[in-house]
Each structure stands twice: as structure tokens, then as C-alpha cells.
Amino acid sequence: MSRNFDLPVAPSEARIVVAMSGGVDSSVVAVLAAQTGAEVIGVTMQLYDHGEAVARSGSCCAGQDIYDAKVVCDNLGIPHYVLDYETRFREGVIDQFADEYAKGRTPIPCTQCNQGVKFVDLIGFAKELGATCLATGHYVRRVEREGRVELWKGKDPRRDQSYFLYGTTAEQLDFLRFPLGDMPKPEVRQIAEGAGLEVAGKPDSQDICFVPDGDYASLVKKLRPETAAPGDIVHVDGTVLGQHEGVVHYTIGQRRGLEIGGLAEPVYVVGIEPDARIVRVGPRRALAVASASVEDINWLAEDQREVEAKVRSLAPPTPALWDGSRVTFAKPEYGVAPGQSAVFYDGERLLGGGTITETQAAALEPA
């Protein structure tokens, strides 16, 4: 099982670095690592400046979380390092998140964080420490098969995080370990309780850790004020239906918040044109997408044309064809937007993924 860490050397000769966010998942990884008999070191990223970090709650890698990670390490008798990645996180994740919204796109910041500070920087630091591997609390499985390492979905479909890890490279997979991939969340909490960890009952962090209150629009408006400029809400038939208070409040597929009455059928956001300050709306059938262009591809498998594609983390995979730059869905997908991640699977195995840059509409069905 993956909780054994698949160490290439005897545990007595191994050094495991554990990425610790201060939550129950990474804390249990530290417990499991210590049980192997290997030398274990805990590492926590500080992603916000000290004053802001102390005040934050509901996020990860903030003031309370750093303290919780330290307490766990103290209880286990292992060293704990705190790495200041505030500048890199702001420039590589938060600023890019705001830039994408300013372009009318729908960004997935968790993938950027995993592809940047969480893996690139942490792996680099772990190797500087002479680590055998870097272990994280992600719910995915690392499978060695036929002479190569593959990334598979977490065994518990309710916890699977593979969608956000499609950017993990083969070289990184050689060094990474995911000991929770075979486990359901209740078992993880049981291990934490059995180890006497104070974080055993700690709630999970928010998906977008730097927007713990869910008000992403306020953050984007602060960083990119132009996104709050008012403009027109325009139907796909060209009719101006009303005004909006900034494109920052809208994403493709959104229905709530439009506050448009008197129409024959509900309307959804089907397009955002930030330069013209236009939010374009239409009936649900106008959201139908036949295919999408995908760039910045990371591919972990052999060439494969027939795939299962996910364009949202909570959406079920759908049959599709992949030609290396474009995914064509077997039947129209809805709510697909530039900026989102398109991630491809073969059953449980993750094949690769990339960023959607453009969508091609399906033929409109009659009302």
C-alpha cells in the first residue's frame, strides 16, 4: 500500500521530508513517516506575510496552521522548518489569479500552486536536505508499473485530488510519495486521534486558501481595479438586458446574480469581454461546447487518443478524443471556460492535462 512510502533504501538509511500544511492530512503523513523508522523532517510554507498570516483562519499555510504543524512535529520529536514563500506565492499564484480574472478567464489557482511553490520549490529544498523523498497529504496514488511511475486517482472518489496535480512531472513523481492515496478520510482522522494529535478534528481548509471567506471578487478588485468597471449585460441575440457592476463578479456558466427578469427562459453567462466591459448571456444551450484548445500540456503517459476528460474538479469524466492540442467531447459539455484545466484519464490513471485557452461552441439546439 502507498502508506509504506515505497522507499528505495532501508528505512534506517532513509530521510523523509513531509510537507506540512498544519492540517490533519499532512500531520498524519508525518505520523506514518515516523512509524517507518526513517529520519523525518517537517517543512511548512509561510505563504502570507507574518501579520496577515497570524490573522487568517480557514486557509492553509497561515499563522495558526504553522503553529499546529510545529506542535505535531514537537510531539513526534522531529525537526520543523518554516520556509518564507510569501513573495513567490503572491507573484506566482495570487497575482496570476487576478490577471486571469481580468482577462475574463476562470483560473484554477490550486494547480498553479502545486506546479510552483508546493512541488518545484519544496522538492528543491528537500533535495538540499538530502531527502530520500518528499511526502504530502494529497489524496492520489503513486503507482509503479512496467518500469515507470504513474499517477492514479485517490481510492476514495470523494477525496481524489488528481485533477489539481495533473502538472506533476515524471521526474517529480519519482521523488514524491502520497501515503494517503489508498485511505478514506475517516481512517485518516482515526490515525490522528490514535496518535493524540490536536488537529484530529480540525476542519479541512478552503480550496482557494488565499480567499478563506469565499469573496474572491473583493480580492481581484483590490489587485485589478479595472475589473470593477460597470458595463452592459448583452444577450447572444444582441439585446442589451441590463448593466453589471464589473466583470469580476461573473464566470462562464453562472446563473445567479444576473437579476434579469421578464425573459422567456433562464439565461447564463456564456461569454465575458473585459476590454468592452460586456457580460454576454444566453440560454443554457448556448453554453454547449463541442471541443476546446488546450495548451501548457503536461503528459505522463503514452500517446493516447481516446481519453476521459474532466474540465471541472467535481465534474465526472466524459469520453473524448485528444489530438495533442485539442479535446473533442463525445457529447457537448457545458460551462467550459478558458483558464480552466482539462485533465485526461484512462480509468483510474491520470494521463495528463493542460489549460483551456479557447472553446468551440456546439451547434445550438432549438429552444
Side-chain angles (χ1 to χ4, degrees):
M1 296 179 65
S2 61
R3 70 175 70 183
N4 292 330
F5 289 85
D6 300 319
L7 297 173
V9 297
S12 60
E13 301 175 0
R15 176 176 293 166
I16 302 173
V17 171
V18 179
M20 302 185 65
S21 67
V24 62
D25 295 327
S26 57
S27 297
V28 167
V29 171
V31 171
L32 297 175
Q35 290 175 353
T36 67
E39 178 187 0
V40 181
I41 299 172
V43 176
T44 301
M45 300 179 298
Q46 179 180 310
L47 301 182
Y48 314 97
D49 65 58
H50 180 70
E52 185 179 8
V54 170
R56 280 182 179 266
S57 62
S59 60
C60 71
C61 305
Q64 181 63 44
D65 304 296
I66 294 172
Y67 174 78
D68 290 343
K70 180 182 184 302
V71 170
V72 170
C73 289
D74 288 345
N75 290 343
L76 294 174
I78 64 176
H80 179 240
Y81 292 91
V82 178
L83 306 179
D84 183 1
Y85 285 166
E86 186 267 335
T87 299
R88 288 203 22 98
F89 183 73
R90 184 184 68 248
E91 295 175 350
V93 179
I94 298 179
D95 286 350
Q96 185 168 336
F97 176 82
D99 288 340
E100 288 290 277
Y101 264 104
K103 296 174 183 176
R105 292 156 61 100
T106 304
I108 310 294
C110 297
T111 62
Q112 296 300 322
C113 184
N114 289 328
Q115 293 173 31
V117 293
K118 276 193 178 174
F119 282 173
V120 174
D121 291 355
L122 275 186
I123 287 177
F125 182 75
K127 288 183 175 179
E128 289 179 6
L129 294 178
T132 307
C133 63
L134 171 69
T136 81
H138 290 100
Y139 286 84
V140 293
R141 288 177 288 171
R142 177 185 180 276
V143 176
E144 295 188 22
R145 194 176 63 149
E146 299 177 355
R148 70 180 179 192
V149 183
E150 299 174 343
L151 188 61
W152 286 40
K153 295 177 182 178
K155 192 169 185 179
D156 183 349
R158 296 167 298 179
R159 302 298 304 176
D160 171 48
Q161 293 174 300
S162 60
Y163 178 83
F164 301 105
L165 297 180
Y166 76 83
T168 308
T169 67
E171 181 181 3
Q172 290 170 342
L173 273 180
D174 283 338
F175 192 69
L176 288 165
R177 299 295 186 274
F178 307 107
L180 306 187
D182 288 313
M183 302 167 62
K185 184 75 173 200
E187 183 178 351
V188 173
R189 292 200 183 276
Q190 289 175 1
I191 294 173
E193 291 172 358
L197 301 184
E198 294 182 9
V199 297
K202 187 174 180 178
D204 293 334
S205 60
Q206 301 292 326
D207 282 344
I208 302 181
C209 64
F210 54 89
V211 194
D213 59 0
D215 187 8
Y216 71 87
S218 293
L219 172 69
V220 176
K221 285 190 291 186
K222 179 181 178 182
L223 297 175
R224 305 292 181 267
E226 67 274 14
T227 62
D232 292 333
I233 300 175
V234 183
H235 196 274
V236 289
D237 66 9
T239 304
V240 177
L241 301 178
Q243 281 69 48
H244 63 76
E245 296 183 354
V247 295
V248 67
H249 297 288
Y250 303 94
T251 56
I252 302 297
Q254 180 177 331
R255 179 182 173 188
R256 297 182 63 182
L258 289 172
E259 299 178 357
I260 300 173
L263 299 178
E265 56 186 328
V267 293
Y268 301 77
V269 177
V270 300
I272 299 171
E273 302 168 28
D275 292 340
R277 303 204 299 269
I278 289 175
V279 173
R280 204 165 294 278
V281 300
R284 184 176 184 274
R285 60 186 180 278
L287 286 170
V289 168
S291 62
S293 301
V294 185
E295 295 183 355
D296 299 327
I297 305 298
N298 180 61
W299 201 254
L300 292 170
E302 68 283 354
D303 291 338
Q304 187 160 332
R305 180 171 171 78
E306 295 183 359
V307 301
E308 296 171 290
K310 285 187 68 166
V311 293
R312 294 177 302 280
S313 63
L314 299 180
T318 184
L321 294 178
W322 170 245
D323 67 5
S325 63
R326 181 186 303 273
V327 57
T328 302
F329 304 107
K331 60 182 181 179
E333 278 287 296
Y334 292 82
V336 184
Q340 291 175 327
S341 299
V343 182
F344 309 118
Y345 296 86
D346 180 1
E348 297 292 294
R349 180 169 59 119
L350 186 146
L351 302 173
T355 302
I356 297 171
T357 57
E358 186 180 3
T359 60
Q360 293 75 44
L364 280 180
E365 298 178 358

